Amino acid sequence: MIKKSIAVIISFMLMSSTTYAAENNKAFVYVGGESFSSENFIIRNNRTLVRYDCGLFEKLGYVTSYDEINHEVIIRNSNAVVTAFMNDYVIYRNGLTSYTADVRCDIVGKQIYIPLRGFAESLGFKVSWDDKARNIIISAQD
């Protein structure tokens, strides 16, 4: 009986710390003062990945697409084309290496996620992190 009680207490403590860690792992993304739903983001290795089609890049004036044949994410406007291949760390701008991320583009469930900072900076935007508020702010370069 005592062993079962200890096991239950340890299990509860582990579940509590996992929940706490998960809650502290949330980040909030703001573009032009507008926040984007956290359900469009995941945190991996302390890096934020965003669903390529969540509307964030469209808000910045870009069109997003996914090439299923080449497994390539494409974000473009009239001035730039930024691309990356699934399971790769390199992000290209107009065909040249622009950014090497420390997390790769990936498919989670049926959704495609891309490194937020790498794509935003490759498109020419500034990405800032407010650790206290856990906010990611995307803004025009100074």
Side-chain angles (χ1 to χ4, degrees), residues 50-109:
V50 59
R51 280 189 31 210
Y52 85 99
D53 60 351
C54 73
L56 185 146
F57 295 103
E58 289 83 347
K59 171 80 174 161
L60 295 169
Y62 291 82
V63 176
T64 62
S65 61
Y66 181 68
D67 178 342
E68 291 186 24
I69 294 170
N70 295 312
H71 305 284
E72 180 180 25
V73 174
I74 304 160
I75 300 179
R76 71 175 71 222
N77 72 3
S78 59
N79 298 320
V81 177
V82 174
T83 63
F85 295 94
M86 297 312 304
N87 297 314
D88 198 358
Y89 297 91
V90 179
I91 300 169
Y92 302 90
R93 179 184 169 100
N94 298 332
L96 302 174
T97 299
S98 173
Y99 191 96
T100 302
D102 49 6
V103 290
R104 64 182 187 207
C105 297
D106 205 357
I107 296 175
V108 178

Side-chain angles (χ1 to χ4, degrees), residues 40-53:
N40 294 311
F41 304 93
I42 59 173
I43 308 294
R44 182 174 288 159
N45 298 329
N46 291 320
R47 299 291 182 240
T48 302
L49 289 98
V50 59
R51 280 189 31 210
Y52 85 99
D53 60 351

Side-chain angles (χ1 to χ4, degrees), residues 24-41:
N24 282 336
N25 217 8
K26 288 183 182 174
F28 302 93
V29 177
Y30 292 88
V31 177
E34 180 182 337
S35 72
F36 280 81
S37 172
S38 62
E39 66 192 32
N40 294 311
F41 304 93

